[in-house]
Amino acid sequence: YLANIRSFLADLAREAAIRDPDGFARKWQMLMKGAIVSAAEGDLEAGVRAKQIATLMIDDALAQASG
């Protein structure tokens, strides 16, 4: 199940021309799992925090792809 999600994320990263789609997918999945655990521990802002980090990740990956 988790491998399928990672594969889906890697496919999206490939479509976005991210240089290391598999590495990006692993990082993204770590972020997702961390946000889920944080939310389960009571962090009501976990999703917002994860979205902020995700935005930075995407910006960085796209900058590397075009650079």
Side-chain angles (χ1 to χ4, degrees):
Y1 175 74
L2 292 174
N4 289 341
I5 293 171
R6 194 169 48 253
S7 176
F8 173 74
L9 294 169
D11 288 344
L12 292 176
R14 270 186 212 87
E15 289 178 23
I18 291 174
R19 284 188 185 171
D20 179 13
D22 295 318
F24 182 86
R26 288 183 179 279
K27 290 176 189 176
W28 192 275
Q29 192 173 44
M30 286 174 58
L31 177 61
M32 290 171 53
K33 290 190 280 186
I36 292 166
V37 170
S38 293
E41 291 177 339
D43 182 355
L44 300 179
E45 298 296 317
V48 172
R49 296 179 219 286
K51 183 177 179 180
Q52 292 168 344
I53 296 167
T55 300
L56 295 172
M57 285 178 59
I58 291 170
D59 289 347
D60 181 61
L62 293 177
Q64 289 181 26
S66 66

